[in-house]
Amino acid sequence: MSSNDKYDRQVRIWGPHGQARLQNARVLLLGCDPVGVETLKNLVLPGIGYVIIVDNKLVTEQDIENNFFIPHDTIGQSRAKVVFEYLLEMNSDVKGEWHQLENYNINDQQFDLIIANEKQFLENKFNLIELQTYGFIGKMRLYSPKCHIIESKPMNQKYDLRIFNPFQELKEYFDSIEFEGDVDYLAHIPYIAILYKALQKYHQINGKYPITFKEKHQDFKQVILSLCDNLEYQYKGNFYEAIDNIDQAFESQNWKNILESTEMEQDDKESQFYILLQALRQFVQIHGVPPLSKAFPDMKCFTQTYVHLKNNIYGVRIEKDFQIFKDLCQNKINDETIRLFIENVQDLKTINYRTIQQELQQPNQVDDYDNDCYIWYILLRSVNEFYQINNRWPNQQKSDIQLLQEIVVKQCKLVNVDSVPESHIIEICRYEGSKLHMIASVIGGMASQEAVKLITNQFVPINNTLIYDGLKSEASIFEF
């Protein structure tokens, strides 16, 4: 990293390890049309490691009009060379190469991401973002052969506090709490202890624990309030904190879902994710629950109580579980990765992408037939087929509109749609393959965010297609 401050803001989002993945990444851009260049620009700025730009065309007047990174005095020069030089001026940390080629051989090479810019790319060995802009319409299609996400970073963090099924040391602490004493003591009982005591009282009254939403958020809530009947309102803050965190009283099942739903191919058996997942299965078989993570929430209580809970009760258990889990990994995974996995074990994600080839042959049907973005998807498929047949884009002539309508009928049958509005067909013929920089900028911004997700293996990328309607400034995501 060239400067401690240069990437400070983004490191706060994806951490030093995420930044390291970016700076070690190799990205291939196929084609220098505006949307791909905008996407790559947004990866050069945060410090992507190495870029390879491939394009066989020379700069024309049309490029100057719709591509911000091609200046007016470069007509006749290689588009790949011009774009490469201007992009890398933005960040001296980024290295790379350019090639003026039509077909680039990717055999025996390794890429962290390929950006297929205004072209279809059927290779399925690497992370892929396929981009297209057509008039006011934009499309982004993601594919990843192995998308296993450890750091999904959900908006609402889940805490594994073992309130429902506490380990021995935690249970002894909970049992030591009495709801008797002076007001100051009662007002500083940690909410996790309140939830545990309320669960036991609910069980005594009803002979079972709360299961349904009503039982948890109405009946159980009343039990919590009954524990502080004798307190004045200003001393009940920790009890209302318990009510706000009712869901934490019950075990999360997210980790079970990932164990049940994840299927690993034979060539995945040596991957880090597979080794960690197998260790998790073995740990759960022995202990019934996953290893305890270090995430611990703030709560209204005495400072010494909080420190005791975090360090002496939860902290000691965390280290015990870590050592057991580490042994199950058989020295194949480093400590930092193991701790990261345990910390995020409640929010692991796996996405099984359909290949581009599968989508082309038979896209998944969706229920949102009236969505304009879905209509534009069908029409994008149709104009692409028109181009393959005629080697040009359809225009506003009646003959082209009629030819496109025939293709649209065929595409509608593939997705079991009766028809698309004629007004949309006429509108897309009006575009005649035009590429607008403003649409490229919007799609490029979204595509670069998805690229960072795929490269850093953080956050959850879309599955699998985003269509942007620039006429309405609306976007929809479809799993085709």
Side-chain angles (χ1 to χ4, degrees):
M1 195 175 295
S2 64
S3 165
N4 291 330
D5 298 323
K6 186 172 184 178
Y7 303 115
D8 177 69
R9 289 176 181 266
Q10 64 204 45
V11 168
R12 298 180 189 213
I13 298 173
W14 50 65
H17 58 293
Q19 185 64 29
R21 287 177 185 161
L22 270 182
Q23 291 181 280
N24 292 321
R26 283 170 55 88
V27 175
L28 172 63
L29 174 66
L30 297 174
C32 288
D33 290 295
V35 64
V37 175
E38 282 292 326
T39 303
L40 190 58
K41 176 259 292 183
N42 293 327
L43 296 177
V44 166
L45 288 172
I48 203 74
Y50 197 88
V51 301
I52 301 171
I53 298 178
V54 178
D55 188 281
N56 68 318
K57 296 180 181 179
L58 301 178
V59 174
T60 65
E61 288 188 9
Q62 185 178 13
D63 294 317
I64 295 169
E65 293 172 357
N66 64 20
N67 197 325
F68 181 80
F69 289 92
I70 298 180
H72 70 277
D73 57 354
T74 60
I75 291 178
Q77 297 183 31
S78 165
R79 288 206 309 181
K81 175 179 180 292
V82 172
V83 167
F84 177 82
E85 291 176 349
Y86 275 84
L87 279 180
L88 264 62
E89 280 185 4
M90 305 184 76
N91 192 339
S92 59
D93 293 344
V94 180
K95 308 302 178 185
E97 59 194 75
W98 62 271
H99 300 277
Q100 189 175 345
L101 298 169
E102 183 171 0
N103 297 308
Y104 183 72
N105 187 5
I106 66 171
N107 294 332
D108 302 321
Q109 296 199 60
Q110 182 61 42
F111 300 102
D112 296 279
L113 177 69
I114 295 177
I115 302 172
N117 190 7
E118 303 286 358
K119 58 183 64 185
Q120 290 178 342
F121 190 76
L122 303 182
E123 177 60 59
N124 58 10
K125 293 192 300 184
F126 306 110
N127 292 331
L128 170 69
I129 298 181
E130 187 180 280
L131 301 171
Q132 181 177 11
T133 59
Y134 199 92
F136 286 101
I137 310 303
K139 174 190 171 187
M140 170 174 60
R141 172 46 153 103
L142 266 64
Y143 171 77
S144 176
K146 301 169 187 175
C147 191
H148 307 305
I149 307 155
I150 294 177
E151 297 177 85
S152 62
K153 298 183 183 290
M155 292 292 291
N156 299 312
Q157 185 176 16
K158 301 178 181 67
Y159 297 101
D160 184 10
L161 299 174
R162 305 292 166 88
I163 298 171
F164 188 82
N165 186 23
F167 49 92
Q168 184 61 35
E169 296 83 357
L170 183 59
K171 185 177 185 302
E172 289 174 1
Y173 169 77
F174 286 155
D175 289 341
S176 70
I177 299 295
E178 298 291 341
F179 286 86
E180 297 176 357
D182 60 34
V183 169
D184 193 41
Y185 165 77
L186 294 174
H188 288 86
I189 296 174
Y191 78 77
I192 57 175
I194 295 172
L195 288 172
Y196 176 81
K197 291 290 190 178
L199 276 174
Q200 307 315 307
K201 184 174 181 179
Y202 184 97
H203 188 271
Q204 290 173 0
I205 296 171
N206 299 281
K208 65 168 189 172
Y209 291 107
I211 298 173
T212 67
F213 182 88
K214 177 182 179 297
E215 289 172 346
K216 290 178 180 179
H217 292 272
Q218 293 185 25
D219 303 340
F220 183 52
K221 176 182 175 181
Q222 293 305 314
V223 173
I224 295 173
L225 291 174
S226 71
L227 296 176
C228 60
D229 277 344
N230 298 325
L231 287 177
E232 296 181 17
Y233 178 79
Q234 62 265 33
Y235 300 113
K236 294 182 179 182
N238 52 335
F239 290 88
Y240 284 108
E241 190 176 43
I243 291 171
D244 290 338
N245 292 278
I246 277 177
D247 288 335
Q248 292 182 21
F250 307 95
E251 292 181 324
S252 170
Q253 302 297 310
N254 289 10
W255 58 271
K256 288 185 179 179
N257 297 335
I258 196 72
L259 288 180
E260 294 170 358
S261 62
T262 304
E263 296 181 5
M264 309 295 284
E265 301 293 337
Q266 186 62 36
D267 60 352
D268 289 333
K269 296 299 174 69
E270 295 302 317
S271 71
Q272 283 195 343
F273 190 81
Y274 176 81
I275 295 168
L276 290 164
L277 212 58
Q278 285 299 96
L280 179 59
R281 285 194 174 97
Q282 294 172 32
F283 191 99
V284 170
Q285 286 174 357
I286 298 169
H287 302 279
V289 290
L292 191 62
S293 68
K294 71 176 184 179
F296 194 70
D298 290 333
M299 58 188 72
K300 185 178 175 62
C301 63
F302 293 120
T303 301
Q304 60 269 31
T305 302
Y306 185 86
V307 172
H308 176 66
L309 279 169
K310 185 176 182 180
N311 296 340
N312 300 336
I313 296 181
Y314 283 95
V316 170
R317 182 63 180 219
I318 287 166
E319 286 306 309
K320 285 182 180 178
D321 284 2
F322 168 76
Q323 291 300 328
I324 296 170
F325 194 87
K326 180 180 177 180
D327 292 340
L328 293 173
C329 291
Q330 302 175 346
N331 297 319
K332 295 179 180 179
I333 309 292
N334 63 53
D335 288 5
E336 181 183 356
T337 303
I338 292 173
R339 290 190 185 278
L340 196 64
F341 182 85
I342 293 174
E343 185 178 338
N344 294 278
V345 75
Q346 298 289 344
D347 297 295
L348 302 173
K349 301 289 182 184
T350 292
I351 300 177
N352 297 314
Y353 284 97
R354 298 187 79 214
T355 66
I356 305 291
Q357 189 69 50
Q358 288 172 327
E359 179 194 340
L360 289 174
Q361 292 173 352
Q362 183 58 66
N364 285 334
Q365 296 181 22
V366 300
D367 297 328
D368 203 2
Y369 297 134
D370 296 329
N371 187 332
D372 266 6
C373 289
Y374 187 40
I375 294 171
W376 291 125
Y377 169 76
I378 296 170
L379 288 173
L380 282 176
R381 287 177 62 102
S382 301
V383 295
N384 287 337
E385 184 174 338
F386 185 102
Y387 187 89
Q388 290 172 359
I389 296 170
N390 301 283
N391 200 32
R392 64 177 179 84
W393 301 110
N395 56 43
Q396 298 181 76
Q397 294 181 3
K398 287 186 178 180
S399 57
D400 276 14
I401 294 174
Q402 190 171 11
L403 284 172
L404 185 61
Q405 285 175 326
E406 293 173 3
I407 295 173
V408 169
V409 170
K410 185 174 71 173
Q411 291 292 339
C412 285
K413 288 181 180 178
L414 273 177
V415 292
N416 198 28
V417 172
D418 294 333
S419 63
V420 301
E422 186 177 358
S423 59
H424 287 61
I425 297 175
I426 294 172
E427 176 70 9
I428 207 162
C429 285
R430 189 173 71 88
Y431 299 154
E432 201 172 341
S434 61
K435 298 174 178 62
L436 305 179
H437 190 267
M438 58 184 178
I439 302 298
S441 297
V442 174
I443 297 296
M446 292 188 283
S448 56
Q449 288 183 344
E450 299 306 309
V452 168
K453 294 176 186 178
L454 291 173
I455 293 170
T456 63
N457 203 29
Q458 297 183 25
F459 300 94
V460 182
I462 66 168
N463 183 16
N464 48 36
T465 302
L466 179 142
I467 302 294
Y468 175 70
D469 180 356
L471 294 167
K472 295 183 176 180
S473 295
E474 294 178 350
S476 295
I477 297 171
F478 303 99
E479 188 177 342
F480 294 121

